[in-house]
Coordinates of all heavy atoms in Angstrom, one line a residue:
M1 N 36.2 -127.3 2.4 CA 35.4 -127.6 1.2 C 34.0 -127.0 1.5 O 33.4 -127.2 2.6 CB 35.3 -129.1 1.0 CG 34.5 -129.4 -0.2 SD 34.4 -131.2 -0.5 CE 36.1 -131.6 -0.9
V2 N 33.4 -126.4 0.5 CA 32.1 -125.8 0.6 C 31.2 -126.5 -0.5 O 31.7 -126.5 -1.6 CB 32.1 -124.3 0.5 CG1 30.6 -123.7 0.5 CG2 32.9 -123.7 1.6
G3 N 30.0 -126.9 -0.1 CA 29.2 -127.6 -1.1 C 27.7 -127.5 -0.7 O 27.4 -127.1 0.4
I4 N 26.9 -128.0 -1.6 CA 25.4 -128.1 -1.3 C 25.1 -129.5 -1.0 O 25.5 -130.4 -1.9 CB 24.6 -127.5 -2.4 CG1 24.9 -126.0 -2.6 CG2 23.1 -127.6 -2.1 CD1 24.3 -125.3 -3.7
I5 N 24.5 -129.8 0.1 CA 24.2 -131.2 0.5 C 22.7 -131.4 0.4 O 21.8 -130.6 0.9 CB 24.6 -131.4 1.9 CG1 26.1 -131.2 2.0 CG2 24.3 -132.8 2.4 CD1 26.6 -131.1 3.4
Y6 N 22.3 -132.5 -0.3 CA 20.9 -133.0 -0.4 C 20.8 -134.3 0.3 O 21.7 -135.2 0.2 CB 20.5 -133.1 -1.8 CG 20.3 -131.8 -2.5 CD1 21.4 -131.2 -3.2 CD2 19.1 -131.1 -2.5 CE1 21.2 -130.0 -3.9 CE2 18.9 -129.9 -3.1 CZ 20.0 -129.3 -3.8 OH 19.8 -128.1 -4.4
Y7 N 19.7 -134.5 1.0 CA 19.3 -135.8 1.5 C 17.8 -136.0 1.4 O 17.1 -135.1 1.8 CB 19.7 -135.9 3.0 CG 19.4 -137.2 3.7 CD1 20.2 -138.3 3.4 CD2 18.3 -137.3 4.5 CE1 19.9 -139.5 4.0 CE2 18.0 -138.5 5.1 CZ 18.8 -139.6 4.8 OH 18.5 -140.9 5.4
N8 N 17.5 -137.1 0.7 CA 16.0 -137.3 0.4 C 15.4 -136.1 -0.3 O 14.3 -135.7 0.1 CB 15.3 -137.7 1.6 CG 15.6 -139.1 2.1 OD1 16.0 -140.0 1.3 ND2 15.4 -139.4 3.4
K9 N 16.1 -135.6 -1.2 CA 15.6 -134.4 -2.0 C 15.4 -133.1 -1.2 O 14.8 -132.2 -1.6 CB 14.4 -134.7 -2.8 CG 14.6 -135.8 -3.8 CD 13.3 -136.1 -4.6 CE 13.6 -137.2 -5.6 NZ 12.4 -137.5 -6.4
Q10 N 16.0 -133.1 0.0 CA 15.9 -131.9 0.9 C 17.3 -131.2 0.9 O 18.3 -131.9 1.0 CB 15.5 -132.2 2.3 CG 14.1 -132.5 2.5 CD 13.7 -132.4 4.0 OE1 14.4 -133.0 4.8 NE2 12.7 -131.7 4.3
N11 N 17.3 -129.9 0.7 CA 18.5 -129.2 0.8 C 18.9 -128.9 2.2 O 18.3 -128.2 3.0 CB 18.3 -127.8 0.1 CG 19.6 -127.0 -0.1 OD1 20.4 -126.9 0.9 ND2 19.8 -126.5 -1.2
I12 N 19.9 -129.7 2.7 CA 20.3 -129.6 4.1 C 20.9 -128.3 4.4 O 20.7 -127.8 5.5 CB 21.3 -130.8 4.4 CG1 20.7 -132.1 4.1 CG2 21.8 -130.7 5.8 CD1 19.4 -132.5 4.8
N13 N 21.7 -127.7 3.5 CA 22.2 -126.4 3.8 C 21.1 -125.4 4.1 O 21.2 -124.6 5.1 CB 22.9 -125.8 2.5 CG 24.0 -126.7 2.0 OD1 23.7 -127.8 1.6 ND2 25.3 -126.2 2.0
Q14 N 20.1 -125.4 3.4 CA 18.9 -124.5 3.6 C 18.3 -124.7 4.9 O 18.0 -123.8 5.7 CB 17.9 -124.6 2.4 CG 16.8 -123.6 2.5 CD 16.0 -123.5 1.3 OE1 16.5 -123.2 0.2 NE2 14.7 -123.8 1.4
L15 N 18.1 -126.0 5.3 CA 17.5 -126.3 6.6 C 18.3 -125.8 7.7 O 17.8 -125.3 8.7 CB 17.3 -127.8 6.7 CG 16.1 -128.4 5.9 CD1 16.1 -129.9 5.9 CD2 14.8 -127.9 6.3
M16 N 19.6 -126.0 7.6 CA 20.5 -125.6 8.7 C 20.5 -124.1 8.8 O 20.5 -123.5 9.9 CB 22.0 -126.1 8.4 CG 22.1 -127.6 8.5 SD 23.7 -128.2 8.1 CE 24.7 -127.5 9.5
I17 N 20.5 -123.3 7.7 CA 20.4 -121.9 7.8 C 19.1 -121.4 8.4 O 19.1 -120.6 9.2 CB 20.6 -121.3 6.4 CG1 22.1 -121.6 5.9 CG2 20.3 -119.8 6.3 CD1 22.3 -121.3 4.4
K18 N 18.0 -122.0 7.9 CA 16.7 -121.7 8.4 C 16.6 -121.8 9.9 O 16.0 -121.0 10.6 CB 15.7 -122.6 7.7 CG 14.2 -122.4 8.2 CD 13.3 -123.3 7.5 CE 11.9 -123.1 7.9 NZ 10.9 -123.9 7.2
H19 N 17.2 -122.8 10.5 CA 17.1 -123.1 11.9 C 18.3 -122.5 12.7 O 18.3 -122.7 13.9 CB 17.0 -124.6 12.2 CG 15.7 -125.2 11.6 ND1 14.5 -125.0 12.2 CD2 15.5 -125.9 10.5 CE1 13.6 -125.6 11.5 NE2 14.2 -126.2 10.5
G20 N 19.1 -121.7 12.0 CA 20.2 -121.0 12.7 C 21.4 -121.8 13.0 O 22.2 -121.4 13.9
Y21 N 21.6 -122.9 12.3 CA 22.7 -123.8 12.6 C 23.8 -123.7 11.6 O 24.8 -124.5 11.7 CB 22.3 -125.3 12.8 CG 21.3 -125.5 13.9 CD1 20.0 -126.0 13.7 CD2 21.7 -125.2 15.2 CE1 19.2 -126.2 14.7 CE2 20.8 -125.3 16.2 CZ 19.5 -125.8 16.0 OH 18.7 -126.0 17.1
A22 N 23.7 -122.8 10.7 CA 24.7 -122.6 9.7 C 24.7 -121.1 9.2 O 23.7 -120.4 9.3 CB 24.5 -123.5 8.5
W23 N 25.8 -120.7 8.7 CA 26.1 -119.3 8.3 C 26.1 -119.3 6.8 O 26.7 -120.3 6.2 CB 27.5 -118.9 8.8 CG 27.6 -117.5 9.3 CD1 27.6 -116.4 8.5 CD2 27.9 -117.1 10.6 NE1 27.8 -115.3 9.3 CE2 28.0 -115.7 10.6 CE3 28.1 -117.8 11.8 CZ2 28.3 -115.0 11.7 CZ3 28.4 -117.0 12.9 CH2 28.5 -115.7 12.9
V24 N 25.6 -118.3 6.1 CA 25.7 -118.2 4.7 C 27.1 -117.6 4.4 O 27.5 -116.6 4.9 CB 24.7 -117.3 4.0 CG1 24.9 -117.1 2.5 CG2 23.3 -117.8 4.3
Y25 N 27.9 -118.3 3.6 CA 29.3 -117.9 3.3 C 29.2 -116.9 2.1 O 29.1 -117.4 0.9 CB 30.2 -119.1 2.9 CG 30.7 -119.8 4.1 CD1 30.2 -121.0 4.5 CD2 31.9 -119.3 4.7 CE1 30.7 -121.7 5.6 CE2 32.5 -120.0 5.8 CZ 31.9 -121.2 6.2 OH 32.4 -121.8 7.3
D26 N 29.2 -115.7 2.3 CA 29.0 -114.7 1.3 C 30.1 -114.8 0.2 O 29.8 -114.7 -1.0 CB 29.1 -113.2 1.8 CG 28.0 -113.0 2.8 OD1 26.9 -113.4 2.6 OD2 28.3 -112.3 3.8
E27 N 31.3 -115.1 0.6 CA 32.4 -115.2 -0.4 C 32.3 -116.4 -1.3 O 32.9 -116.4 -2.4 CB 33.8 -115.2 0.3 CG 34.0 -116.2 1.4 CD 33.6 -115.7 2.8 OE1 32.7 -114.8 2.9 OE2 34.1 -116.2 3.8
Y28 N 31.5 -117.4 -0.9 CA 31.4 -118.6 -1.8 C 30.0 -118.8 -2.4 O 29.8 -119.5 -3.4 CB 31.7 -119.9 -1.0 CG 33.1 -119.9 -0.4 CD1 33.3 -119.8 0.9 CD2 34.2 -120.1 -1.3 CE1 34.6 -119.9 1.4 CE2 35.4 -120.1 -0.8 CZ 35.7 -120.0 0.6 OH 36.9 -120.0 1.1
C29 N 29.0 -118.2 -1.8 CA 27.6 -118.4 -2.2 C 27.3 -117.4 -3.3 O 26.9 -116.3 -3.1 CB 26.7 -118.1 -1.0 SG 25.0 -118.9 -1.2
K30 N 27.3 -118.0 -4.5 CA 27.1 -117.2 -5.7 C 25.9 -117.6 -6.6 O 25.7 -117.1 -7.6 CB 28.4 -117.1 -6.6 CG 29.6 -116.7 -5.9 CD 29.5 -115.3 -5.4 CE 30.8 -114.9 -4.7 NZ 30.7 -113.7 -3.9
K31 N 25.2 -118.7 -6.1 CA 24.1 -119.2 -6.9 C 22.8 -118.5 -6.6 O 22.8 -117.7 -5.6 CB 23.9 -120.7 -6.5 CG 25.1 -121.6 -6.9 CD 24.9 -123.0 -6.7 CE 26.0 -123.9 -7.1 NZ 26.1 -124.2 -8.5
S32 N 21.8 -118.6 -7.4 CA 20.6 -117.9 -7.3 C 19.9 -118.2 -5.9 O 19.2 -117.4 -5.4 CB 19.6 -118.2 -8.4 OG 19.3 -119.6 -8.5
V33 N 20.1 -119.4 -5.4 CA 19.5 -119.8 -4.1 C 20.1 -119.0 -2.9 O 19.4 -118.9 -1.9 CB 19.7 -121.3 -3.9 CG1 21.2 -121.7 -3.5 CG2 18.8 -121.8 -2.8
C34 N 21.2 -118.4 -3.1 CA 21.8 -117.6 -2.0 C 20.9 -116.5 -1.5 O 20.9 -116.1 -0.3 CB 23.2 -117.1 -2.4 SG 24.3 -118.4 -2.8
K35 N 20.2 -115.8 -2.4 CA 19.3 -114.8 -2.0 C 18.3 -115.3 -1.0 O 18.0 -114.7 0.0 CB 18.5 -114.2 -3.2 CG 19.4 -113.3 -4.1 CD 18.6 -112.8 -5.3 CE 19.6 -112.0 -6.2 NZ 18.8 -111.5 -7.4
R36 N 17.7 -116.5 -1.3 CA 16.8 -117.1 -0.4 C 17.4 -117.4 1.0 O 16.9 -117.2 2.0 CB 16.2 -118.4 -1.0 CG 15.4 -119.3 -0.1 CD 13.9 -119.0 -0.3 NE 13.2 -119.9 0.5 CZ 12.4 -119.6 1.6 NH1 12.3 -118.3 1.9 NH2 11.8 -120.4 2.3
W37 N 18.7 -117.9 0.9 CA 19.4 -118.3 2.1 C 19.7 -117.1 3.0 O 19.6 -117.1 4.2 CB 20.7 -119.0 1.8 CG 20.5 -120.4 1.2 CD1 19.3 -121.0 1.0 CD2 21.5 -121.2 0.8 NE1 19.6 -122.3 0.4 CE2 20.9 -122.4 0.3 CE3 22.9 -121.1 0.7 CZ2 21.6 -123.5 -0.2 CZ3 23.6 -122.2 0.2 CH2 23.0 -123.4 -0.2
H38 N 20.0 -116.0 2.4 CA 20.2 -114.7 3.1 C 18.9 -114.3 3.9 O 19.0 -113.8 5.0 CB 20.7 -113.6 2.2 CG 22.2 -113.7 2.0 ND1 23.2 -113.4 2.9 CD2 22.9 -114.1 0.9 CE1 24.3 -113.6 2.4 NE2 24.2 -114.0 1.1
K39 N 17.8 -114.4 3.2 CA 16.5 -114.1 3.8 C 16.2 -115.0 5.0 O 15.8 -114.6 6.1 CB 15.3 -114.2 2.8 CG 15.3 -113.1 1.8 CD 14.2 -113.2 0.8 CE 14.3 -112.2 -0.3 NZ 13.2 -112.3 -1.3
L40 N 16.5 -116.3 4.8 CA 16.3 -117.3 5.9 C 17.3 -117.0 7.1 O 16.9 -117.1 8.2 CB 16.5 -118.7 5.4 CG 15.5 -119.2 4.5 CD1 15.9 -120.6 3.9 CD2 14.1 -119.4 5.2
Q41 N 18.5 -116.6 6.8 CA 19.5 -116.3 7.8 C 19.0 -115.1 8.6 O 19.1 -115.0 9.8 CB 20.8 -116.0 7.2 CG 21.9 -115.7 8.2 CD 23.3 -115.7 7.6 OE1 23.9 -116.7 7.4 NE2 23.8 -114.5 7.4
K42 N 18.5 -114.1 7.9 CA 18.0 -112.9 8.6 C 16.8 -113.2 9.5 O 16.8 -112.7 10.6 CB 17.6 -111.8 7.5 CG 17.2 -110.5 8.1 CD 16.9 -109.5 7.0 CE 16.6 -108.1 7.6 NZ 16.3 -107.1 6.6
K43 N 15.9 -114.1 9.1 CA 14.8 -114.5 9.9 C 15.3 -115.2 11.2 O 14.8 -115.0 12.3 CB 13.8 -115.4 9.2 CG 12.9 -114.7 8.2 CD 11.9 -115.6 7.6 CE 11.0 -115.0 6.6 NZ 10.1 -115.9 6.0
A44 N 16.3 -116.1 11.0 CA 16.9 -116.9 12.1 C 17.5 -115.9 13.1 O 17.4 -116.0 14.3 CB 17.9 -117.9 11.6
K45 N 18.2 -114.9 12.5 CA 18.8 -113.9 13.4 C 17.8 -113.1 14.2 O 17.9 -112.9 15.4 CB 19.6 -112.8 12.6 CG 21.0 -113.3 12.1 CD 21.7 -112.1 11.4 CE 23.0 -112.5 10.8 NZ 23.7 -111.4 10.2
N46 N 16.8 -112.7 13.5 CA 15.7 -111.9 14.2 C 15.0 -112.7 15.3 O 14.5 -112.2 16.3 CB 14.7 -111.4 13.2 CG 15.2 -110.3 12.3 OD1 16.2 -109.7 12.6 ND2 14.6 -110.1 11.1
R47 N 14.9 -114.0 15.0 CA 14.2 -114.9 16.0 C 15.2 -115.5 17.0 O 14.8 -116.3 17.8 CB 13.5 -116.0 15.2 CG 12.4 -115.5 14.4 CD 11.7 -116.6 13.6 NE 10.6 -116.0 12.8 CZ 10.1 -116.6 11.8 NH1 10.5 -117.8 11.4 NH2 9.1 -116.0 11.1
Q48 N 16.5 -115.2 16.9 CA 17.5 -115.6 17.8 C 17.6 -117.2 17.8 O 17.7 -117.8 18.9 CB 17.4 -115.0 19.2 CG 17.6 -113.5 19.2 CD 17.5 -113.0 20.6 OE1 16.6 -113.2 21.3 NE2 18.6 -112.3 21.0
R49 N 17.5 -117.8 16.7 CA 17.6 -119.2 16.6 C 19.0 -119.7 16.5 O 19.8 -119.1 15.8 CB 16.8 -119.7 15.4 CG 15.3 -119.5 15.5 CD 14.7 -119.9 14.2 NE 13.5 -120.7 14.5 CZ 12.8 -121.4 13.7 NH1 13.2 -121.4 12.4 NH2 11.8 -122.1 14.0
G50 N 19.3 -120.8 17.1 CA 20.6 -121.5 16.9 C 21.8 -120.6 17.2 O 21.9 -120.0 18.3
L51 N 22.7 -120.4 16.3 CA 23.9 -119.5 16.4 C 23.5 -118.1 16.9 O 24.3 -117.5 17.6 CB 24.6 -119.4 15.1 CG 25.2 -120.6 14.4 CD1 25.4 -120.3 13.0 CD2 26.4 -121.0 15.1
W52 N 22.4 -117.7 16.4 CA 22.0 -116.3 16.7 C 21.4 -116.0 18.0 O 21.1 -114.9 18.4 CB 21.0 -115.9 15.6 CG 21.5 -116.2 14.2 CD1 21.0 -117.2 13.4 CD2 22.7 -115.7 13.6 NE1 21.8 -117.3 12.3 CE2 22.8 -116.4 12.4 CE3 23.6 -114.8 13.9 CZ2 23.9 -116.2 11.5 CZ3 24.7 -114.6 13.1 CH2 24.8 -115.2 11.9
Y53 N 21.3 -117.1 18.9 CA 20.9 -116.9 20.3 C 22.0 -116.2 21.0 O 21.7 -115.4 21.9 CB 20.6 -118.3 20.9 CG 20.2 -118.2 22.3 CD1 18.8 -117.8 22.6 CD2 21.0 -118.4 23.4 CE1 18.4 -117.7 23.9 CE2 20.6 -118.3 24.7 CZ 19.3 -118.0 24.9 OH 18.8 -117.9 26.2
D54 N 23.2 -116.4 20.6 CA 24.4 -115.7 21.2 C 24.4 -114.3 20.8 O 24.1 -114.0 19.7 CB 25.7 -116.4 20.8 CG 26.9 -116.0 21.5 OD1 26.8 -115.0 22.2 OD2 27.9 -116.7 21.4
D55 N 24.7 -113.4 21.7 CA 24.8 -112.0 21.4 C 25.9 -111.7 20.5 O 25.8 -110.7 19.7 CB 25.0 -111.1 22.7 CG 23.7 -111.1 23.6 OD1 22.6 -111.3 23.0 OD2 23.9 -110.9 24.8
Y56 N 27.0 -112.4 20.5 CA 28.2 -112.2 19.7 C 28.6 -113.5 19.0 O 29.7 -114.0 19.3 CB 29.3 -111.6 20.5 CG 28.9 -110.3 21.2 CD1 28.6 -110.3 22.5 CD2 28.8 -109.1 20.5 CE1 28.2 -109.2 23.2 CE2 28.5 -108.0 21.1 CZ 28.2 -108.0 22.5 OH 27.8 -106.8 23.1
P57 N 27.8 -114.0 18.0 CA 28.3 -115.2 17.3 C 29.6 -115.0 16.5 O 29.8 -113.9 16.0 CB 27.1 -115.6 16.4 CG 26.4 -114.3 16.2 CD 26.6 -113.5 17.4
V58 N 30.4 -116.0 16.5 CA 31.7 -115.9 15.8 C 31.6 -116.6 14.5 O 31.3 -117.8 14.4 CB 32.8 -116.5 16.7 CG1 34.1 -116.4 15.9 CG2 32.9 -115.8 18.0
R59 N 31.9 -115.9 13.4 CA 32.0 -116.5 12.1 C 32.9 -117.7 12.1 O 34.0 -117.6 12.7 CB 32.4 -115.5 11.0 CG 31.4 -114.4 10.7 CD 31.8 -113.5 9.6 NE 31.8 -114.1 8.3 CZ 30.8 -114.3 7.5 NH1 29.6 -113.8 7.9 NH2 30.9 -114.9 6.4
P60 N 32.5 -118.7 11.4 CA 33.4 -120.0 11.4 C 34.8 -119.7 11.0 O 35.7 -120.3 11.7 CB 32.7 -120.9 10.4 CG 31.3 -120.4 10.5 CD 31.3 -118.9 10.7
K61 N 35.1 -118.9 10.0 CA 36.5 -118.7 9.6 C 37.3 -118.0 10.7 O 38.5 -118.3 10.9 CB 36.6 -117.9 8.3 CG 36.1 -116.5 8.4 CD 36.3 -115.8 7.0 CE 35.9 -114.4 7.0 NZ 36.1 -113.8 5.7
Y62 N 36.7 -117.2 11.5 CA 37.4 -116.5 12.6 C 37.6 -117.5 13.8 O 38.6 -117.5 14.4 CB 36.7 -115.3 13.1 CG 36.6 -114.2 12.0 CD1 35.4 -113.6 11.7 CD2 37.8 -113.8 11.3 CE1 35.4 -112.7 10.7 CE2 37.7 -112.8 10.3 CZ 36.5 -112.3 10.0 OH 36.5 -111.3 9.0
W63 N 36.6 -118.3 14.0 CA 36.7 -119.3 15.1 C 37.8 -120.3 14.8 O 38.6 -120.7 15.6 CB 35.4 -120.1 15.2 CG 35.4 -121.1 16.3 CD1 35.2 -120.8 17.7 CD2 35.7 -122.5 16.2 NE1 35.3 -122.0 18.4 CE2 35.6 -123.0 17.5 CE3 36.0 -123.3 15.1 CZ2 35.8 -124.4 17.7 CZ3 36.2 -124.6 15.4 CH2 36.1 -125.2 16.6
R64 N 37.9 -120.8 13.5 CA 39.0 -121.7 13.1 C 40.4 -121.0 13.3 O 41.3 -121.7 13.8 CB 38.8 -122.1 11.7 CG 37.7 -123.2 11.5 CD 37.7 -123.8 10.2 NE 37.4 -122.9 9.1 CZ 36.2 -122.5 8.7 NH1 35.1 -123.0 9.2 NH2 36.1 -121.7 7.7
K65 N 40.5 -119.8 12.9 CA 41.8 -119.1 13.0 C 42.2 -119.0 14.5 O 43.3 -119.2 14.8 CB 41.7 -117.7 12.4 CG 41.8 -117.7 10.9 CD 41.8 -116.3 10.3 CE 41.7 -116.3 8.8 NZ 41.7 -114.9 8.3
Y66 N 41.2 -118.6 15.3 CA 41.5 -118.5 16.7 C 41.9 -119.9 17.3 O 42.9 -120.0 18.1 CB 40.2 -118.0 17.5 CG 40.4 -118.0 19.0 CD1 41.0 -117.0 19.6 CD2 39.8 -119.1 19.7 CE1 41.2 -117.0 21.0 CE2 39.9 -119.1 21.1 CZ 40.6 -118.0 21.7 OH 40.7 -118.1 23.1
K67 N 41.2 -120.9 16.9 CA 41.4 -122.3 17.4 C 42.8 -122.7 17.0 O 43.6 -123.2 17.8 CB 40.4 -123.2 16.9 CG 40.5 -124.6 17.5 CD 39.4 -125.5 17.0 CE 39.6 -126.9 17.4 NZ 38.8 -127.9 16.7
E68 N 43.2 -122.5 15.7 CA 44.5 -122.9 15.2 C 45.6 -122.2 15.9 O 46.6 -122.8 16.3 CB 44.6 -122.6 13.7 CG 43.8 -123.6 12.8 CD 43.8 -123.1 11.4 OE1 44.5 -122.2 11.0 OE2 43.0 -123.7 10.6
K69 N 45.4 -120.9 16.2 CA 46.4 -120.1 16.8 C 46.7 -120.6 18.3 O 47.8 -120.6 18.7 CB 46.0 -118.6 16.8 CG 47.0 -117.7 17.5 CD 46.5 -116.3 17.4 CE 47.4 -115.3 18.1 NZ 46.9 -113.9 18.1
N70 N 45.6 -120.9 18.9 CA 45.7 -121.3 20.4 C 46.1 -122.8 20.6 O 46.3 -123.2 21.7 CB 44.4 -121.0 21.1 CG 44.3 -119.5 21.2 OD1 45.2 -118.8 21.7 ND2 43.1 -118.9 20.8
E71 N 46.1 -123.6 19.5 CA 46.5 -125.0 19.6 C 48.0 -125.2 19.5 O 48.5 -126.3 19.7 CB 45.7 -125.9 18.6 CG 44.3 -126.1 19.0 CD 43.5 -126.9 18.0 OE1 44.0 -127.2 16.9 OE2 42.4 -127.3 18.3
R72 N 48.6 -124.2 19.0 CA 50.1 -124.3 18.8 C 50.9 -124.2 20.1 O 50.7 -123.8 21.1 CB 50.6 -123.2 17.9 CG 50.0 -123.3 16.5 CD 50.5 -122.2 15.6 NE 49.7 -122.4 14.4 CZ 49.8 -121.5 13.4 NH1 50.4 -120.4 13.6 NH2 49.1 -121.6 12.3

């Protein structure tokens, strides 16, 4: 499930992306806010924050597929 989460009027998705703890899902992100999120993600990558500290971060969908395959 993919959704936008607010807590105390703050967009949690945006905060997570800004600090490098979340990935923008291109295939699902179709709202006008997505442009802003992509800019924040690019800044996080450039600053090597969170996920982007790793030289080869793995997209969540690929990590899940790998995990499922190896748990069998």
Side-chain angles (χ1 to χ4, degrees):
M1 181 181 296
V2 177
I4 299 176
I5 301 167
Y6 288 91
Y7 180 76
N8 287 337
K9 298 184 180 181
Q10 282 195 310
N11 186 316
I12 303 303
N13 304 62
Q14 185 166 303
L15 287 173
M16 290 177 68
I17 293 165
K18 178 180 179 179
H19 294 287
Y21 297 121
W23 219 291
V24 178
Y25 279 99
D26 298 323
E27 52 271 26
Y28 300 111
C29 200
K30 305 297 182 196
K31 297 186 179 275
S32 60
V33 71
C34 297
K35 288 180 185 179
R36 170 97 174 114
W37 291 359
H38 280 286
K39 288 178 185 178
L40 291 172
Q41 180 172 282
K42 187 174 181 177
K43 282 184 183 180
K45 281 183 181 183
N46 291 339
R47 294 177 180 161
Q48 294 184 304
R49 294 177 133 190
L51 299 163
W52 311 113
Y53 182 77
D54 190 345
D55 290 334
Y56 303 100
V58 179
R59 290 185 67 84
K61 67 179 182 180
Y62 298 127
W63 183 84
R64 283 191 298 275
K65 285 181 184 180
Y66 173 82
K67 185 178 174 194
E68 288 173 9
K69 182 180 177 182
N70 290 309
E71 286 181 348
R72 294 179 187 170

